[in-house]
Amino acid sequence: VHGLESLVQAGDGRLVRCTLRRVLRTMATDQRHPLAAGDWVRATGEDDEGTIEAIEPRRSSLSRDSRGRRHVIVANVDQLLIVGSAALPDLKPGLFDRMLVAAELAGIRPLVCINKADLVDPGSLVPLAGVYARMGYPVVLCSAATGMGLDRLAAELPGRVTAVVGQSGVGKSSL
């Protein structure tokens, strides 16, 4: 979703640049924008341009409040991969906590991932990882640079639609 335009993946795999039908843009809603990444839509059009005619009901959504309205960040996901880094940037447990609460409220399975574990003594990460694990959350210590823990992370992904969140520079794209 990019302002008034969205990229929609058609049934045959093509990406189609679509605009949102005016009636959908102007509907009275408690949401900041009626469309979010992950929404299933019905669209019409030809070649690589189209119009979103309808938005299907969501089975899940991760959202936050924005100026008294709900801002849906992502829809229709099964799992939230919460990525932080052991160093560069420093680990931010408060971000994990906020994302865990948001995932729980949305009914989305959270998965905690601490990347860049190769940059610190892995033993220093055990206390924090242990806290989350004792609360019942799966925790993966990994390094995109060395490959450490990537098999374990990959084992958590099949059969689930996963959204990846985390601050800038933690290695989301590298993972």
Side-chain angles (χ1 to χ4, degrees):
V1 178
H2 304 280
L4 297 177
E5 289 188 336
S6 299
L7 285 177
V8 174
Q9 185 173 14
D12 62 6
R14 288 178 304 120
L15 288 180
V16 180
R17 186 169 303 279
C18 292
T19 56
L20 193 59
R21 198 167 163 216
R22 183 177 181 89
V23 68
L24 294 174
R25 285 195 317 260
T26 58
M27 282 182 1
T29 178
D30 67 337
Q31 298 175 41
R32 198 174 110 197
H33 194 285
L35 190 63
D39 271 330
W40 286 81
V41 300
R42 280 184 281 144
T44 58
E46 296 181 24
D47 299 322
D48 60 350
E49 290 189 7
T51 302
I52 297 171
E53 302 289 339
I55 303 168
E56 298 295 326
R58 295 175 176 141
R59 62 181 171 81
S60 68
S61 65
L62 182 69
S63 62
R64 64 179 175 86
D65 286 335
S66 175
R67 298 184 186 133
R69 298 176 85 183
R70 195 166 62 109
H71 178 197
V72 177
I73 298 164
V74 67
N76 299 316
V77 296
D78 306 309
Q79 179 170 260
L80 188 65
L81 175 59
I82 306 165
V83 182
S85 66
L88 302 173
D90 291 337
L91 192 60
K92 303 241 185 309
L95 179 63
F96 283 127
D97 294 346
R98 287 193 306 277
M99 288 287 107
L100 287 168
V101 168
E104 289 286 352
L105 287 171
I108 298 170
R109 177 185 190 257
L111 170 59
V112 174
C113 176
I114 303 174
N115 191 26
K116 301 186 182 182
D118 59 308
L119 299 180
V120 299
D121 171 18
S124 69
L125 301 173
V126 171
L128 180 65
V131 167
Y132 292 127
R134 282 191 303 278
M135 291 191 297
Y137 299 116
V139 179
V140 179
L141 302 179
C142 64
S143 168
T146 68
M148 176 184 107
L150 295 185
D151 288 342
R152 165 89 167 80
L153 180 61
E156 296 286 345
L157 302 178
R160 296 183 173 108
V161 177
T162 304
V164 182
V165 297
Q167 73 186 87
S168 179
V170 298
K172 298 180 300 291
S173 297
S174 297
L175 289 172

